[in-house]
Amino acid sequence: MTAKPLQIGLAGLGTVGTGVYETLCRNHELLEARVQMSFEVKRVAVRDLGRPRDVAIDPALLTDDWRTLVEDPDIDIIIELIGGVTDAYELITAALRAHKPVVTGNKALLAERGGELFRLSAETEAPLYFEASCGGGIPIIQSLTASLICNNVERIAGIINGTSNYILSAMERKGVSYEEALSAARRKGYAEADPSLDVNGRDAAHKALILAMLAYGTPVDPRAIAVYGIERVTPVDFQFAHRLGYTIKLLVVIKHHEGSGKLELRVQPSFVPKEHLLANVNGVFNAIAVRGDIVGETIFYGRGAGKNPTASAVIGDVMLAMRDCRHPEHHSGFHPYTQAPELMPAEETVTPYYVRFLVQDRPGVIAAIAAELAKKGIGISAITSTPHGEEEQADSNDLVLLLHACAWGKLKQALREIGNYDSIDRHPVVFRIENFNES
Ligand code: HSE
């Protein structure tokens, strides 16, 4: 055991911060025994000193100025849990400049300004740890950077937004509306303060950028990725998906194309075969499938959000930081090691598709659609239509086509042409189909 306890400064005592503080107190002895080092929480920075708290904490530990933590020469490690991208950026950069290791779960900040932060971390030799930034309690960051270190990562596919998975699962299983499911996710504390980031796919995109950075060695340009959310998913699409042997999941796909060297990175609600493990990940759970050239297929599953799972990830990093304090020159934080890969434009990415058209019941409609698709070399693998009574739209039908794999750019052009037909709605619903059977 170290004679002088390592001193921790915790910035942020919201849901996750509270979980971190409680767990550091509750499992103090266990943690000290496991790392063979002693520690204590020296200061806790909060936004509002007067706010009632549902955690027992000595008020003398509290400060409403995070700078106190960074400037205190006795504080060895900073935990950043204040969120947002402005104060958190200032706090992290100030701490790194003061040569203090930082533990954060701030996915938005890492996704948007990871390049700068890792450069600063390298210059100051102060590591930045971020296990809590992706997958909540799932130890995916350590797995990618340590356990799977010998692998070229061929593909990552996953469900990494708990709120949208909760909403899709509730819509599917309980038949509730999108709005009802979103309110329940907020009540349970899964959704972000601004839940639009959860449902529009941006939160999953932030996490995907972090996974891509770890798998391919350098921060990836956040502006270049195709992101679609779950706002347009309807019960009708779930009914068709079931009939066709699929479910719908907000899926992140990251793939390295060996021939072109391009990186495919996309986030969108997708059809997943019912029998695939990812199709059976429900509620707030997340799962990340990583395929490496040496290990083959792996899958990581767990709670992707919430107080204690996220606290578990933060504390894992704090213990890593404590161990690294013994040999700071050989810390285990992330070091970028390569040039940014070229991102594959969405138009070039190839998958099978589900397309649902609202069409008027006229002779020749299917022939017209098939002809436009054929002009672009796109084949149809299945056709089905309205799965439910549509008395109120007696003249219209939902016409669903499953398409063989094709480039999105080609399908987009074909859909534009099809939209010119009077009897076909201009805005069909389109989902990618992920069969996970790529070679
Ligand atoms: N709002 C996020 C989610 C929390 O739903 O996954 C964890 O990052």
Side-chain angles (χ1 to χ4, degrees), residues 107 132-133 136 160-164 190-192 198 203 207 286 304-306:
K107 57 227 156 165
S133 65
I160 49 178
N161 182 268
T163 303
S164 53
Y190 301 144
E192 300 297 312
D198 290 306
D203 177 81
K207 296 167 183 167
N286 283 194

Side-chain angles (χ1 to χ4, degrees), residues 388-403:
H388 53 103
E390 291 265 312
E391 295 78 12
E392 69 282 5
Q393 292 185 349
D395 194 30
S396 303
N397 274 321
D398 279 318
L399 176 67
V400 165
L401 270 61
L402 297 193
L403 305 178

Side-chain angles (χ1 to χ4, degrees), residues 131-140 207 286 303-306 309-314:
E131 184 66 70
S133 65
C134 183
I138 302 174
I140 187 64
K207 296 167 183 167
N286 283 194
R303 286 184 189 278
T310 314
S312 166
V314 170

Side-chain angles (χ1 to χ4, degrees), residues 129-151:
Y129 305 89
F130 48 97
E131 184 66 70
S133 65
C134 183
I138 302 174
I140 187 64
I141 307 293
Q142 269 299 297
S143 300
L144 282 170
T145 51
S147 314
L148 299 177
I149 196 166
C150 77
N151 286 268

